Coordinates of all heavy atoms in Angstrom, one line a residue:
Q1042 N -293.8 197.0 191.7 CA -294.9 198.0 191.4 C -295.6 197.6 190.2 O -296.8 197.7 190.1 CB -294.2 199.3 191.3 CG -295.2 200.4 191.0 CD -294.6 201.8 191.3 OE1 -293.9 202.0 192.3 NE2 -294.9 202.8 190.4
R1043 N -294.9 197.1 189.2 CA -295.6 196.7 187.9 C -296.5 195.5 188.1 O -297.6 195.5 187.6 CB -294.5 196.4 186.9 CG -295.0 196.1 185.5 CD -293.9 196.0 184.4 NE -292.9 195.0 184.8 CZ -291.7 195.4 185.2 NH1 -291.3 196.6 185.3 NH2 -290.8 194.4 185.4
T1044 N -296.1 194.6 188.9 CA -296.9 193.4 189.2 C -298.2 193.8 190.0 O -299.3 193.3 189.6 CB -296.1 192.4 190.1 OG1 -294.9 192.0 189.3 CG2 -296.9 191.2 190.4
L1045 N -298.0 194.7 190.9 CA -299.2 195.1 191.7 C -300.1 195.9 190.8 O -301.4 195.8 190.9 CB -298.8 195.9 192.9 CG -298.1 195.2 194.0 CD1 -297.5 196.1 195.1 CD2 -299.1 194.2 194.7
A1046 N -299.6 196.8 190.0 CA -300.4 197.7 189.2 C -301.2 196.8 188.2 O -302.4 197.2 187.8 CB -299.6 198.7 188.4
R1047 N -300.7 195.7 187.8 CA -301.4 194.8 186.8 C -302.4 193.8 187.5 O -303.1 193.1 186.8 CB -300.4 194.1 186.0 CG -299.6 194.9 185.0 CD -298.5 194.1 184.3 NE -297.7 194.9 183.4 CZ -296.7 194.5 182.7 NH1 -296.3 193.2 182.9 NH2 -296.0 195.3 181.9
S1048 N -302.4 193.8 188.8 CA -303.2 192.9 189.5 C -304.7 193.3 189.4 O -305.0 194.5 189.4 CB -302.8 192.8 191.0 OG -301.5 192.3 191.1
P1049 N -305.6 192.3 189.3 CA -307.0 192.7 189.2 C -307.5 193.4 190.4 O -307.2 193.1 191.6 CB -307.7 191.3 189.1 CG -306.6 190.4 188.6 CD -305.3 190.9 189.2
G1050 N -308.3 194.5 190.2 CA -308.9 195.2 191.3 C -308.0 196.3 191.8 O -308.5 197.1 192.7
V1051 N -306.8 196.5 191.4 CA -305.9 197.5 191.9 C -306.0 198.8 191.1 O -305.9 198.8 189.9 CB -304.4 197.0 191.8 CG1 -303.4 198.2 192.2 CG2 -304.2 195.8 192.7
A1052 N -306.3 199.9 191.8 CA -306.5 201.2 191.2 C -305.2 201.9 191.2 O -305.0 202.7 190.3 CB -307.6 201.9 191.9
E1053 N -304.4 201.7 192.2 CA -303.1 202.5 192.3 C -302.1 201.7 193.1 O -302.5 201.1 194.1 CB -303.4 203.8 192.9 CG -302.1 204.7 193.1 CD -302.4 206.0 193.9 OE1 -303.6 206.2 194.2 OE2 -301.5 206.7 194.2
A1054 N -300.9 201.7 192.7 CA -299.8 201.0 193.5 C -298.6 201.8 193.5 O -298.1 202.3 192.5 CB -299.5 199.6 192.9
S1055 N -298.0 201.9 194.7 CA -296.7 202.7 194.8 C -295.8 201.9 195.7 O -296.2 201.6 196.9 CB -297.0 204.1 195.4 OG -295.8 204.8 195.7
V1056 N -294.6 201.6 195.3 CA -293.6 200.9 196.0 C -292.5 201.8 196.4 O -291.9 202.5 195.6 CB -293.1 199.7 195.2 CG1 -292.0 198.9 196.0 CG2 -294.2 198.8 194.8
N1057 N -292.1 201.8 197.7 CA -291.0 202.6 198.2 C -289.8 201.7 198.6 O -289.9 200.9 199.5 CB -291.5 203.4 199.4 CG -290.5 204.5 199.8 OD1 -289.3 204.2 200.0 ND2 -291.0 205.7 200.0
L1058 N -288.7 201.9 197.9 CA -287.5 201.0 198.1 C -286.9 201.3 199.4 O -286.5 200.4 200.2 CB -286.5 201.3 197.0 CG -285.2 200.5 197.1 CD1 -285.4 199.0 197.0 CD2 -284.2 201.0 196.0
M1059 N -286.8 202.6 199.8 CA -286.2 203.0 201.1 C -287.0 202.5 202.3 O -286.4 202.1 203.3 CB -286.0 204.5 201.1 CG -285.1 205.1 200.0 SD -283.5 204.3 200.1 CE -282.9 204.9 201.7
L1060 N -288.3 202.6 202.2 CA -289.2 202.2 203.3 C -289.5 200.7 203.2 O -290.1 200.2 204.2 CB -290.5 203.0 203.3 CG -290.3 204.5 203.6 CD1 -291.7 205.2 203.5 CD2 -289.6 204.8 204.9
A1061 N -289.1 200.1 202.1 CA -289.4 198.6 201.9 C -290.8 198.3 202.1 O -291.2 197.4 202.9 CB -288.5 197.8 202.9
N1062 N -291.7 199.0 201.4 CA -293.1 198.7 201.5 C -293.8 199.1 200.2 O -293.2 199.7 199.3 CB -293.8 199.4 202.7 CG -293.8 200.9 202.6 OD1 -293.7 201.5 201.5 ND2 -293.7 201.6 203.8
A1063 N -295.0 198.6 200.1 CA -295.9 198.9 198.9 C -297.2 199.4 199.4 O -297.9 198.7 200.3 CB -296.1 197.7 198.1
T1064 N -297.7 200.5 198.9 CA -299.0 201.1 199.3 C -299.9 200.9 198.1 O -299.6 201.3 197.0 CB -298.9 202.6 199.6 OG1 -298.0 202.7 200.7 CG2 -300.2 203.1 200.0
V1065 N -301.0 200.2 198.3 CA -301.9 199.8 197.2 C -303.3 200.3 197.5 O -303.8 200.0 198.6 CB -301.9 198.3 197.0 CG1 -302.7 197.9 195.8 CG2 -300.4 197.8 196.9
A1066 N -304.0 200.9 196.6 CA -305.4 201.2 196.6 C -306.1 200.2 195.7 O -305.8 200.1 194.6 CB -305.6 202.7 196.2
Y1067 N -307.1 199.5 196.3 CA -307.7 198.4 195.5 C -309.2 198.4 195.8 O -309.7 198.9 196.8 CB -307.1 197.1 195.9 CG -307.2 196.7 197.3 CD1 -308.3 195.8 197.7 CD2 -306.4 197.1 198.3 CE1 -308.5 195.4 199.0 CE2 -306.5 196.7 199.6 CZ -307.6 195.9 200.0 OH -307.8 195.5 201.3
D1068 N -309.9 197.7 194.9 CA -311.3 197.5 195.0 C -311.6 196.3 195.9 O -311.2 195.2 195.4 CB -311.9 197.4 193.6 CG -313.5 197.2 193.7 OD1 -314.0 197.1 194.8 OD2 -314.1 197.0 192.6
P1069 N -312.1 196.4 197.1 CA -312.3 195.2 197.9 C -313.3 194.2 197.3 O -313.3 193.0 197.7 CB -312.9 195.8 199.2 CG -313.5 197.1 198.8 CD -312.6 197.6 197.7
A1070 N -314.1 194.6 196.3 CA -315.0 193.6 195.7 C -314.2 192.7 194.7 O -314.7 191.7 194.3 CB -316.1 194.4 195.0
A1071 N -313.0 193.2 194.3 CA -312.3 192.4 193.3 C -311.1 191.7 193.8 O -310.6 190.7 193.2 CB -311.9 193.4 192.1
T1072 N -310.5 192.2 194.9 CA -309.3 191.5 195.5 C -309.2 191.9 197.0 O -310.1 192.5 197.5 CB -308.1 192.0 194.8 OG1 -306.9 191.3 195.2 CG2 -307.8 193.5 195.0
N1073 N -308.2 191.4 197.6 CA -308.0 191.7 199.0 C -306.5 191.8 199.4 O -305.7 191.5 198.5 CB -308.7 190.6 199.9 CG -308.2 189.2 199.5 OD1 -307.1 188.9 199.6 ND2 -309.2 188.4 199.1
A1074 N -306.2 192.1 200.6 CA -304.8 192.3 201.0 C -304.0 191.0 200.9 O -302.9 191.0 200.5 CB -304.7 192.9 202.4
G1075 N -304.7 189.9 201.2 CA -304.0 188.6 201.1 C -303.6 188.3 199.7 O -302.5 187.8 199.4
A1076 N -304.4 188.6 198.7 CA -304.1 188.3 197.3 C -303.0 189.2 196.9 O -302.1 188.8 196.1 CB -305.4 188.5 196.5
L1077 N -302.9 190.4 197.4 CA -301.8 191.3 197.0 C -300.5 190.9 197.6 O -299.5 190.9 196.9 CB -302.1 192.8 197.5 CG -303.4 193.4 196.9 CD1 -303.7 194.7 197.6 CD2 -303.2 193.6 195.4
V1078 N -300.5 190.3 198.8 CA -299.3 189.8 199.4 C -298.9 188.6 198.5 O -297.7 188.4 198.3 CB -299.6 189.3 200.8 CG1 -298.4 188.5 201.4 CG2 -299.8 190.6 201.7
D1079 N -299.8 187.7 198.1 CA -299.4 186.6 197.3 C -298.8 187.0 195.9 O -297.9 186.4 195.4 CB -300.7 185.7 197.0 CG -301.1 185.0 198.3 OD1 -300.3 184.9 199.2 OD2 -302.3 184.6 198.3
A1080 N -299.4 188.1 195.4 CA -298.8 188.6 194.1 C -297.4 189.1 194.3 O -296.6 188.9 193.4 CB -299.7 189.8 193.6
I1081 N -297.1 189.7 195.4 CA -295.7 190.2 195.7 C -294.8 189.0 195.8 O -293.7 188.9 195.3 CB -295.7 191.1 196.9 CG1 -296.4 192.4 196.7 CG2 -294.2 191.4 197.3 CD1 -296.6 193.2 197.9
R1082 N -295.2 188.0 196.6 CA -294.4 186.8 196.8 C -294.2 186.0 195.5 O -293.1 185.4 195.3 CB -295.1 185.9 197.8 CG -295.1 186.4 199.2 CD -295.9 185.6 200.2 NE -295.9 186.1 201.5 CZ -296.7 185.6 202.5 NH1 -297.6 184.6 202.3 NH2 -296.6 186.1 203.7
A1083 N -295.1 186.1 194.6 CA -295.0 185.4 193.3 C -293.9 186.0 192.5 O -293.3 185.4 191.6 CB -296.3 185.5 192.5
T1084 N -293.5 187.3 192.8 CA -292.4 187.9 192.0 C -291.0 187.5 192.6 O -290.0 187.9 192.1 CB -292.5 189.4 192.1 OG1 -292.4 189.9 193.4 CG2 -293.8 189.9 191.5

């Protein structure tokens, strides 16, 4: 969650441990879903 929240273009990030997912609100002009996936993998 901290990594996603600090990613460029991300306005809001919420990670759910039980559901094993991350919900992210982001600016499509600054980033995209693929970049967010890469940010998670980088952790």
Side-chain angles (χ1 to χ4, degrees):
Q1042 183 164 316
R1043 184 168 59 250
T1044 299
L1045 288 172
R1047 293 175 178 175
S1048 298
V1051 173
E1053 179 186 355
S1055 176
V1056 179
N1057 192 309
L1058 177 63
M1059 298 303 296
L1060 296 179
N1062 63 27
T1064 301
V1065 186
Y1067 64 94
D1068 180 1
T1072 187
N1073 54 61
L1077 297 175
V1078 168
D1079 291 340
I1081 295 173
R1082 290 174 178 171
T1084 64

